[in-house]
Amino acid sequence: MELDLALLTDAVDDRGTSDLAAIRFRQEYEPAAGRGAKVYPPTYPRNNAPPYIFERRFDDAGEPVETVLLDSVASQANRVEEALLDAVDDQLVRIPLLIVETTIHGRPIRLTSLQMPHRCSDAYLRDSETADGTRFDATEIGRALRRATLRDAEIVYRVCPTALVYGTWDSYRGRPELSFKAPRVWVSELYGVLRDRESDVGLRPGSRLDPIGMLGATVKKIGEEQSEWEFVEPGEDEPVPAREPKWTKVKLGATTRISTIGHGNIRPEVNVGGVAIERARRTASLSLAGLRRLRFPVGGERSPKRDAAGRATLVALALLGDRLAFGRPDLSLRSGCDLVVVEDAVEMVDRGGKATAIDLTAKRAQQLLEEAMGRAETLGLKWLTEPVVLRPRPNLQRALEASLPEI
């Protein structure tokens, strides 16, 4: 079955008669190296425990299975936004952007609302200004964003519609309990299925041999840069210091092993490394009920027809983002975690839990988005056609210059 705009619009219309409740995405993967191969999940610091997140979930038959998290909800959203930004840069799609641009130590910096953690509510925007020196929060758009609510989200739709799909919270301007907050309506998570939690956790050996054969020695830091050090002759100073973790920051004037600054040998050691999985699964959903909470009054007047058109545009945007990020036959999450798609299903879920498979490619989702945008525009809802470009305020500029190294 193929989605069409009329069906989507009826599903998010307050007066609609559709039984469509949600859109579901299900993908099964196997490691690129084959079933049972080891992959590397994201790591999270945990005392005296493997740095991975293990959970018990349930398979399609309702049987419990042991799983390991391979990609979190927030990370999945970031991958979609990256794919959408690539599509914008390639001129395949038009999406409004808020952009902060500057130059740090001769290096151009560009940060968009598709990259900012809090999207249109981000602190980077709060601490930026227009070319004439007006703080963003004092501009017409900035003030309107501060007044936005779920029942009056027209300004958010107009300048940063992705915030209404992937969520935003204006929590860095004081009184977060009164600030605009839009929950994410597209939620995705990817996990690996294990046979046994204890035995499937792998080990990773690590070592380094110096190509010239330079043995251990002692050096002294004489400057802030890693290259600013001097060799300490044996017997000239204290004994060779104890072995330190690889990324230990050595204080100015302190002595350390030469291996800390990238030379010499590092003796072999074994750490937790990777997990053997049978398969991986991505489960994602798009909440139509969440979208129906949004309203887009224009000039203080609400139109149910306009609300439905705006919501349908957000549905199409979410569908396009999902297909751009996850519609290919493979997926690379990080080093050592490459997956191949085995099954890929997009389903409409009706009242009663009935699921109907639909054909949805990135191209079809893009067509839906263009149709939905055009329909919304005829009803007074139009995305910004030009990006809002800002620059850091002096305090943020100084912080960036102090944080980013000169190259």
mmCIF file of all heavy atoms in Angstrom, residues 246-279:
data_model
loop_
_atom_site.group_PDB
_atom_site.id
_atom_site.type_symbol
_atom_site.label_atom_id
_atom_site.label_comp_id
_atom_site.label_asym_id
_atom_site.label_seq_id
_atom_site.Cartn_x
_atom_site.Cartn_y
_atom_site.Cartn_z
ATOM 1 N N LYS A 246 46.092 6.206 29.137
ATOM 2 C CA LYS A 246 46.532 6.749 27.845
ATOM 3 C C LYS A 246 46.224 8.224 27.683
ATOM 4 O O LYS A 246 47.030 8.976 27.143
ATOM 5 C CB LYS A 246 45.865 5.946 26.729
ATOM 6 C CG LYS A 246 46.292 6.340 25.327
ATOM 7 C CD LYS A 246 45.629 5.450 24.307
ATOM 8 C CE LYS A 246 46.040 5.823 22.899
ATOM 9 N NZ LYS A 246 45.375 4.963 21.893
ATOM 10 N N TRP A 247 45.048 8.653 28.128
ATOM 11 C CA TRP A 247 44.633 10.031 27.852
ATOM 12 C C TRP A 247 44.824 10.953 29.057
ATOM 13 O O TRP A 247 44.232 12.023 29.129
ATOM 14 C CB TRP A 247 43.165 10.051 27.414
ATOM 15 C CG TRP A 247 42.923 9.205 26.208
ATOM 16 C CD1 TRP A 247 42.176 8.066 26.145
ATOM 17 C CD2 TRP A 247 43.452 9.384 24.894
ATOM 18 N NE1 TRP A 247 42.191 7.541 24.880
ATOM 19 C CE2 TRP A 247 42.962 8.326 24.093
ATOM 20 C CE3 TRP A 247 44.283 10.345 24.315
ATOM 21 C CZ2 TRP A 247 43.282 8.197 22.741
ATOM 22 C CZ3 TRP A 247 44.600 10.216 22.978
ATOM 23 C CH2 TRP A 247 44.109 9.161 22.199
ATOM 24 N N THR A 248 45.662 10.547 30.020
ATOM 25 C CA THR A 248 45.915 11.394 31.177
ATOM 26 C C THR A 248 46.544 12.710 30.750
ATOM 27 O O THR A 248 47.496 12.742 29.971
ATOM 28 C CB THR A 248 46.854 10.683 32.171
ATOM 29 O OG1 THR A 248 46.214 9.498 32.633
ATOM 30 C CG2 THR A 248 47.172 11.594 33.346
ATOM 31 N N LYS A 249 46.012 13.823 31.248
ATOM 32 C CA LYS A 249 46.585 15.132 30.960
ATOM 33 C C LYS A 249 47.705 15.395 31.959
ATOM 34 O O LYS A 249 47.489 15.401 33.169
ATOM 35 C CB LYS A 249 45.523 16.233 31.050
ATOM 36 C CG LYS A 249 46.055 17.625 30.688
ATOM 37 C CD LYS A 249 44.935 18.631 30.663
ATOM 38 C CE LYS A 249 45.458 20.023 30.372
ATOM 39 N NZ LYS A 249 46.177 20.130 29.091
ATOM 40 N N VAL A 250 48.893 15.593 31.438
ATOM 41 C CA VAL A 250 50.058 15.782 32.299
ATOM 42 C C VAL A 250 50.190 17.270 32.637
ATOM 43 O O VAL A 250 50.127 18.134 31.758
ATOM 44 C CB VAL A 250 51.335 15.283 31.590
ATOM 45 C CG1 VAL A 250 52.541 15.460 32.508
ATOM 46 C CG2 VAL A 250 51.171 13.830 31.184
ATOM 47 N N LYS A 251 50.377 17.575 33.909
ATOM 48 C CA LYS A 251 50.486 18.961 34.347
ATOM 49 C C LYS A 251 51.816 19.565 33.915
ATOM 50 O O LYS A 251 52.826 18.866 33.772
ATOM 51 C CB LYS A 251 50.356 19.046 35.874
ATOM 52 C CG LYS A 251 48.982 18.634 36.398
ATOM 53 C CD LYS A 251 48.932 18.761 37.908
ATOM 54 C CE LYS A 251 47.552 18.355 38.434
ATOM 55 N NZ LYS A 251 47.488 18.465 39.912
ATOM 56 N N LEU A 252 51.802 20.850 33.712
ATOM 57 C CA LEU A 252 52.998 21.577 33.322
ATOM 58 C C LEU A 252 54.086 21.397 34.384
ATOM 59 O O LEU A 252 53.840 21.551 35.581
ATOM 60 C CB LEU A 252 52.664 23.068 33.146
ATOM 61 C CG LEU A 252 53.753 23.955 32.559
ATOM 62 C CD1 LEU A 252 54.063 23.540 31.130
ATOM 63 C CD2 LEU A 252 53.317 25.417 32.593
ATOM 64 N N GLY A 253 55.283 21.016 33.952
ATOM 65 C CA GLY A 253 56.407 20.829 34.860
ATOM 66 C C GLY A 253 56.506 19.443 35.455
ATOM 67 O O GLY A 253 57.501 19.124 36.110
ATOM 68 N N ALA A 254 55.502 18.602 35.235
ATOM 69 C CA ALA A 254 55.506 17.255 35.798
ATOM 70 C C ALA A 254 56.278 16.301 34.887
ATOM 71 O O ALA A 254 56.425 16.533 33.691
ATOM 72 C CB ALA A 254 54.087 16.763 36.000
ATOM 73 N N THR A 255 56.753 15.221 35.463
ATOM 74 C CA THR A 255 57.418 14.186 34.671
ATOM 75 C C THR A 255 56.434 13.047 34.412
ATOM 76 O O THR A 255 55.529 12.788 35.212
ATOM 77 C CB THR A 255 58.657 13.641 35.403
ATOM 78 O OG1 THR A 255 58.258 13.137 36.686
ATOM 79 C CG2 THR A 255 59.699 14.726 35.569
ATOM 80 N N THR A 256 56.638 12.371 33.313
ATOM 81 C CA THR A 256 55.748 11.289 32.936
ATOM 82 C C THR A 256 56.477 10.317 32.034
ATOM 83 O O THR A 256 57.566 10.616 31.527
ATOM 84 C CB THR A 256 54.505 11.852 32.211
ATOM 85 O OG1 THR A 256 53.608 10.784 31.916
ATOM 86 C CG2 THR A 256 54.891 12.528 30.909
ATOM 87 N N ARG A 257 55.896 9.161 31.823
ATOM 88 C CA ARG A 257 56.464 8.211 30.878
ATOM 89 C C ARG A 257 56.321 8.743 29.458
ATOM 90 O O ARG A 257 55.347 9.413 29.123
ATOM 91 C CB ARG A 257 55.756 6.855 30.989
ATOM 92 C CG ARG A 257 56.093 6.086 32.245
ATOM 93 C CD ARG A 257 55.251 4.821 32.327
ATOM 94 N NE ARG A 257 55.672 4.006 33.467
ATOM 95 C CZ ARG A 257 56.534 3.002 33.394
ATOM 96 N NH1 ARG A 257 57.059 2.678 32.231
ATOM 97 N NH2 ARG A 257 56.869 2.317 34.463
ATOM 98 N N ILE A 258 57.267 8.394 28.619
ATOM 99 C CA ILE A 258 57.241 8.877 27.237
ATOM 100 C C ILE A 258 56.048 8.315 26.469
ATOM 101 O O ILE A 258 55.579 8.918 25.493
ATOM 102 C CB ILE A 258 58.576 8.543 26.523
ATOM 103 C CG1 ILE A 258 58.730 9.418 25.278
ATOM 104 C CG2 ILE A 258 58.659 7.055 26.197
ATOM 105 C CD1 ILE A 258 60.117 9.358 24.661
ATOM 106 N N SER A 259 55.519 7.189 26.907
ATOM 107 C CA SER A 259 54.357 6.609 26.227
ATOM 108 C C SER A 259 53.127 7.506 26.363
ATOM 109 O O SER A 259 52.221 7.457 25.532
ATOM 110 C CB SER A 259 54.057 5.223 26.785
ATOM 111 O OG SER A 259 53.804 5.281 28.180
ATOM 112 N N THR A 260 53.076 8.333 27.404
ATOM 113 C CA THR A 260 51.932 9.217 27.612
ATOM 114 C C THR A 260 51.811 10.256 26.509
ATOM 115 O O THR A 260 50.717 10.728 26.208
ATOM 116 C CB THR A 260 52.039 9.914 28.987
ATOM 117 O OG1 THR A 260 52.212 8.924 30.000
ATOM 118 C CG2 THR A 260 50.797 10.719 29.281
ATOM 119 N N ILE A 261 52.937 10.625 25.888
ATOM 120 C CA ILE A 261 52.904 11.651 24.845
ATOM 121 C C ILE A 261 53.037 11.048 23.448
ATOM 122 O O ILE A 261 53.265 11.762 22.474
ATOM 123 C CB ILE A 261 54.002 12.710 25.067
ATOM 124 C CG1 ILE A 261 55.389 12.053 25.040
ATOM 125 C CG2 ILE A 261 53.780 13.454 26.370
ATOM 126 C CD1 ILE A 261 56.525 13.059 24.979
ATOM 127 N N GLY A 262 52.908 9.702 23.334
ATOM 128 C CA GLY A 262 52.811 9.089 22.015
ATOM 129 C C GLY A 262 54.042 8.379 21.505
ATOM 130 O O GLY A 262 54.056 7.947 20.349
ATOM 131 N N HIS A 263 55.103 8.243 22.312
ATOM 132 C CA HIS A 263 56.305 7.529 21.878
ATOM 133 C C HIS A 263 56.520 6.288 22.748
ATOM 134 O O HIS A 263 55.921 6.134 23.811
ATOM 135 C CB HIS A 263 57.537 8.433 21.982
ATOM 136 C CG HIS A 263 57.508 9.596 21.044
ATOM 137 N ND1 HIS A 263 57.494 9.451 19.676
ATOM 138 C CD2 HIS A 263 57.481 10.935 21.283
ATOM 139 C CE1 HIS A 263 57.487 10.646 19.107
ATOM 140 N NE2 HIS A 263 57.463 11.569 20.065
ATOM 141 N N GLY A 264 57.426 5.414 22.275
ATOM 142 C CA GLY A 264 57.774 4.231 23.057
ATOM 143 C C GLY A 264 56.718 3.143 22.969
ATOM 144 O O GLY A 264 55.755 3.229 22.205
ATOM 145 N N ASN A 265 56.913 2.111 23.748
ATOM 146 C CA ASN A 265 56.012 0.968 23.753
ATOM 147 C C ASN A 265 54.941 1.119 24.822
ATOM 148 O O ASN A 265 55.137 1.779 25.843
ATOM 149 C CB ASN A 265 56.781 -0.327 24.022
ATOM 150 C CG ASN A 265 57.781 -0.633 22.932
ATOM 151 O OD1 ASN A 265 57.632 -0.190 21.786
ATOM 152 N ND2 ASN A 265 58.808 -1.405 23.272
ATOM 153 N N ILE A 266 53.804 0.493 24.581
ATOM 154 C CA ILE A 266 52.774 0.340 25.603
ATOM 155 C C ILE A 266 52.550 -1.150 25.767
ATOM 156 O O ILE A 266 52.230 -1.839 24.793
ATOM 157 C CB ILE A 266 51.462 1.042 25.205
ATOM 158 C CG1 ILE A 266 51.665 2.560 25.118
ATOM 159 C CG2 ILE A 266 50.364 0.715 26.209
ATOM 160 C CD1 ILE A 266 50.418 3.327 24.744
ATOM 161 N N ARG A 267 52.740 -1.642 26.972
ATOM 162 C CA ARG A 267 52.633 -3.070 27.197
ATOM 163 C C ARG A 267 51.206 -3.548 26.936
ATOM 164 O O ARG A 267 50.238 -2.793 27.107
ATOM 165 C CB ARG A 267 53.036 -3.412 28.625
ATOM 166 C CG ARG A 267 52.054 -2.939 29.672
ATOM 167 C CD ARG A 267 52.524 -3.287 31.069
ATOM 168 N NE ARG A 267 51.571 -2.854 32.082
ATOM 169 C CZ ARG A 267 51.801 -2.931 33.382
ATOM 170 N NH1 ARG A 267 52.946 -3.427 33.821
ATOM 171 N NH2 ARG A 267 50.883 -2.524 34.249
ATOM 172 N N PRO A 268 51.044 -4.795 26.511
ATOM 173 C CA PRO A 268 49.704 -5.321 26.220
ATOM 174 C C PRO A 268 48.808 -5.283 27.456
ATOM 175 O O PRO A 268 49.251 -5.536 28.571
ATOM 176 C CB PRO A 268 49.970 -6.758 25.775
ATOM 177 C CG PRO A 268 51.390 -6.751 25.308
ATOM 178 C CD PRO A 268 52.101 -5.765 26.196
ATOM 179 N N GLU A 269 47.562 -4.952 27.229
ATOM 180 C CA GLU A 269 46.558 -4.996 28.277
ATOM 181 C C GLU A 269 45.232 -5.424 27.662
ATOM 182 O O GLU A 269 45.027 -5.300 26.461
ATOM 183 C CB GLU A 269 46.411 -3.643 28.971
ATOM 184 C CG GLU A 269 46.028 -2.518 28.037
ATOM 185 C CD GLU A 269 45.962 -1.170 28.759
ATOM 186 O OE1 GLU A 269 46.379 -1.107 29.930
ATOM 187 O OE2 GLU A 269 45.479 -0.210 28.154
ATOM 188 N N VAL A 270 44.348 -5.944 28.479
ATOM 189 C CA VAL A 270 43.069 -6.453 27.997
ATOM 190 C C VAL A 270 41.943 -5.709 28.702
ATOM 191 O O VAL A 270 41.938 -5.599 29.937
ATOM 192 C CB VAL A 270 42.941 -7.971 28.251
ATOM 193 C CG1 VAL A 270 41.567 -8.463 27.797
ATOM 194 C CG2 VAL A 270 44.043 -8.727 27.521
ATOM 195 N N ASN A 271 41.003 -5.185 27.905
ATOM 196 C CA ASN A 271 39.846 -4.484 28.433
ATOM 197 C C ASN A 271 38.576 -5.085 27.840
ATOM 198 O O ASN A 271 38.618 -5.845 26.868
ATOM 199 C CB ASN A 271 39.918 -2.993 28.086
ATOM 200 C CG ASN A 271 41.100 -2.313 28.729
ATOM 201 O OD1 ASN A 271 41.277 -2.362 29.936
ATOM 202 N ND2 ASN A 271 41.938 -1.679 27.922
ATOM 203 N N VAL A 272 37.445 -4.706 28.433
ATOM 204 C CA VAL A 272 36.163 -5.093 27.840
ATOM 205 C C VAL A 272 36.085 -4.489 26.451
ATOM 206 O O VAL A 272 36.399 -3.314 26.245
ATOM 207 C CB VAL A 272 34.994 -4.595 28.707
ATOM 208 C CG1 VAL A 272 33.665 -4.810 27.990
ATOM 209 C CG2 VAL A 272 34.995 -5.318 30.042
ATOM 210 N N GLY A 273 35.670 -5.294 25.467
ATOM 211 C CA GLY A 273 35.626 -4.771 24.111
ATOM 212 C C GLY A 273 34.633 -5.488 23.230
ATOM 213 O O GLY A 273 34.899 -6.583 22.733
ATOM 214 N N GLY A 274 33.463 -4.900 23.041
ATOM 215 C CA GLY A 274 32.499 -5.426 22.107
ATOM 216 C C GLY A 274 31.598 -6.501 22.689
ATOM 217 O O GLY A 274 31.842 -7.047 23.771
ATOM 218 N N VAL A 275 30.551 -6.807 21.928
ATOM 219 C CA VAL A 275 29.570 -7.814 22.332
ATOM 220 C C VAL A 275 29.198 -8.627 21.095
ATOM 221 O O VAL A 275 28.955 -8.070 20.028
ATOM 222 C CB VAL A 275 28.302 -7.156 22.914
ATOM 223 C CG1 VAL A 275 27.267 -8.213 23.268
ATOM 224 C CG2 VAL A 275 28.640 -6.324 24.136
ATOM 225 N N ALA A 276 29.151 -9.938 21.229
ATOM 226 C CA ALA A 276 28.729 -10.815 20.135
ATOM 227 C C ALA A 276 27.198 -10.844 20.099
ATOM 228 O O ALA A 276 26.558 -11.138 21.114
ATOM 229 C CB ALA A 276 29.273 -12.218 20.325
ATOM 230 N N ILE A 277 26.604 -10.514 18.961
ATOM 231 C CA ILE A 277 25.149 -10.477 18.850
ATOM 232 C C ILE A 277 24.666 -11.423 17.746
ATOM 233 O O ILE A 277 25.383 -11.682 16.774
ATOM 234 C CB ILE A 277 24.630 -9.057 18.558
ATOM 235 C CG1 ILE A 277 25.120 -8.554 17.202
ATOM 236 C CG2 ILE A 277 25.046 -8.105 19.671
ATOM 237 C CD1 ILE A 277 24.476 -7.259 16.761
ATOM 238 N N GLU A 278 23.488 -11.954 17.934
ATOM 239 C CA GLU A 278 22.869 -12.777 16.893
ATOM 240 C C GLU A 278 22.299 -11.904 15.781
ATOM 241 O O GLU A 278 22.410 -12.207 14.598
ATOM 242 C CB GLU A 278 21.744 -13.621 17.489
ATOM 243 C CG GLU A 278 22.219 -14.784 18.335
ATOM 244 C CD GLU A 278 21.070 -15.714 18.652
ATOM 245 O OE1 GLU A 278 19.931 -15.235 18.844
ATOM 246 O OE2 GLU A 278 21.296 -16.938 18.706
ATOM 247 N N ARG A 279 21.672 -10.796 16.195
ATOM 248 C CA ARG A 279 21.060 -9.882 15.248
ATOM 249 C C ARG A 279 20.847 -8.548 15.946
ATOM 250 O O ARG A 279 21.073 -8.430 17.155
ATOM 251 C CB ARG A 279 19.722 -10.426 14.750
ATOM 252 C CG ARG A 279 18.662 -10.552 15.825
ATOM 253 C CD ARG A 279 17.404 -11.232 15.318
ATOM 254 N NE ARG A 279 16.319 -11.186 16.285
ATOM 255 C CZ ARG A 279 16.164 -12.011 17.297
ATOM 256 N NH1 ARG A 279 17.075 -12.955 17.502
ATOM 257 N NH2 ARG A 279 15.144 -11.908 18.132
#
